[in-house]
Amino acid sequence: MSSSPLRHTALDALHRSLGATMTDFAGWDMPLRYGSERDEHVAVRTRAGLFDLSHMGEITVTGPQADRLLNHALVGNIASVDVGRARYTMICRADGGILDDLIVYRLGEQEYLVVANASNAQVVLDALAERSAGFDAEVRDDRDNYALIAVQGPESPGILKSLTDADLDGLKYYAGLPGTVAGVPALIARTGYTGEDGFELFVAPSDAEKLWQALTEAGAPVGLVPCGLSCRDTLRLEAGMPLYGHELSTSLTPFDAGLGRVVKFEKEGDFVGRAALQEAAERAEKNPPRVLVGLVAEGRRVPRAGYAVVSGGEVIGEVTSGAPSPTLGKPIAMAYVDAAHSAPGTPGVGVDIRGSHEPYEVVALPFYKRQK
């Protein structure tokens, strides 16, 4: 069996020069960590961290009916997004299963940027292209035209302000505006996947290294460090944010994942999966599906995805993500559990870790919320 060669981002040589431990992530050779993942995590929570996210999948949708195409193809009401704003949404199969979760930026009256997860970018591209039939709109694969650099953490606004005259104070959460950062043209977005304030900078791959170096220099006095995918995972876990392939999959509808709010039945026209999702919504109302909860360990053993959640000798759920939490100082997990065991403080809940039932406290998500 031959495997495709790994793809490399425009910052690949730079990561290696910084001594990064590299890993295969969704077909890309990506930095896992540069030094200690715990130190990188703490830097983002207390100062700032710099991430290469160029593996994400950018798809541009343009044309007079771009808004109608996206309303048909996705579960959200994309036509109602104002120019300069962004929306979290999902693309589902006809049976309601989640193909991916997405962020869609409206760049102009007839132009949208759809950002998909690296592992699903081709699937999303193919689905959008297929669903575009009959609409006066074009779907374009722009993955090779963007590098994506994120600066996250409480010091990130100050770092970025020193490099741009764009109106960062006026840039709301889930918005994006074109600007220039360190002399580089960029789409400056404020979304993030760490639970902290921060920015994502979409730039031409040829400008990525210049921008990374400028951010590194501007951030040095306040303790900015380069960060890999490993701490990105523990940061999003603490923030209770779902990861495709863990909390989201084709076997779950948005209602099964507790994210039914992203499905907008009231929007005009039909959309892919509508009938199945209406059934899922009614099912969830009558018979609550498993609930995504947080679990905090009483001991030191770390739960991993796929481990059974137990109570009274019965399996009541399954861990979807687990890791040591640098912020809480204890192992934590997200898990889908039966509705009857989902209330915070439910007694007698544990995780089966290699045959031993370790006690865990059920808590509401997120584990961590930044102070505004």
Side-chain angles (χ1 to χ4, degrees), residues 71 74-78 87-92 96 98 100-102 174 242 248 253-255 257-267 271 277:
N71 263 15
L74 311 179
V75 301
N77 188 352
I78 308 305
R87 184 154 296 167
Y88 177 79
T89 188
M90 294 182 183
I91 182 167
C92 290
I98 302 166
D100 201 14
D101 60 336
L102 311 165
Y174 267 75
L248 308 174
T253 72
F255 294 94
L259 292 164
R261 64 180 180 276
V262 305
V263 181
K264 303 300 180 190
F265 293 119
E266 70 278 11
K267 65 179 173 176
F271 63 91
L277 288 168

Side-chain angles (χ1 to χ4, degrees), residues 215-356:
L215 287 162
T216 298
E217 284 167 32
V222 291
L224 172 138
V225 300
C227 293
L229 293 181
S230 188
C231 83
R232 187 170 157 81
D233 191 47
T234 52
L235 288 159
R236 71 93 198 166
L237 176 55
E238 288 184 350
M241 294 176 169
L243 175 64
Y244 196 89
H246 288 255
E247 288 72 41
L248 308 174
S249 70
T250 50
S251 63
L252 296 171
T253 72
F255 294 94
D256 298 321
L259 292 164
R261 64 180 180 276
V262 305
V263 181
K264 303 300 180 190
F265 293 119
E266 70 278 11
K267 65 179 173 176
E268 272 183 47
D270 197 14
F271 63 91
V272 177
R274 177 193 274 273
L277 288 168
Q278 266 170 329
E279 283 176 26
E282 287 161 19
R283 239 186 357 258
E285 200 134 316
K286 286 189 203 128
N287 181 20
R290 283 183 164 180
V291 179
L292 188 64
V293 299
L295 298 174
V296 178
E298 291 179 20
R300 309 302 310 166
R301 297 185 73 185
V302 178
R304 298 295 181 194
Y307 286 10
V309 183
V310 293
S311 179
E314 298 289 313
V315 173
I316 57 156
E318 187 176 301
V319 171
T320 53
S321 298
S325 163
T327 305
L328 275 64
K330 297 174 178 179
I332 59 171
M334 286 200 279
Y336 283 112
V337 301
D338 294 345
H341 294 86
S342 63
T346 299
V349 172
V351 175
D352 185 342
I353 300 182
R354 297 194 190 89
S356 167

Side-chain angles (χ1 to χ4, degrees), residues 26-64:
W28 290 82
D29 206 11
M30 297 296 292
L32 189 62
R33 68 181 77 79
Y34 297 84
S36 149
E37 56 203 53
R38 187 182 184 285
D39 290 349
E40 291 171 24
H41 179 113
V42 171
V44 175
R45 285 276 177 260
T46 58
R47 304 186 305 277
L50 194 58
F51 295 85
D52 178 10
L53 304 179
S54 303
H55 60 313
M56 300 294 280
E58 295 88 5
I59 301 160
T60 303
V61 181
T62 54

Side-chain angles (χ1 to χ4, degrees), residues 108-174:
E109 282 302 325
Q110 299 186 5
E111 184 180 6
Y112 295 83
L113 179 66
V114 177
V115 182
N117 285 297
S119 55
N120 296 328
Q122 191 64 47
V123 169
V124 173
L125 179 68
D126 292 346
L128 287 175
E130 187 184 311
R131 295 174 189 187
S132 69
F135 291 93
D136 186 2
E138 184 198 346
V139 175
R140 187 173 74 236
D141 181 359
D142 262 348
R143 284 176 288 180
D144 291 340
N145 297 324
Y146 285 107
L148 178 55
I149 295 173
V151 55
Q152 294 276 307
E155 298 286 356
S156 57
I159 294 168
L160 201 55
K161 274 180 189 170
S162 72
L163 297 172
T164 184
D165 56 7
D167 177 18
L168 297 186
D169 291 332
L171 185 66
K172 297 185 174 77
Y173 187 52
Y174 267 75

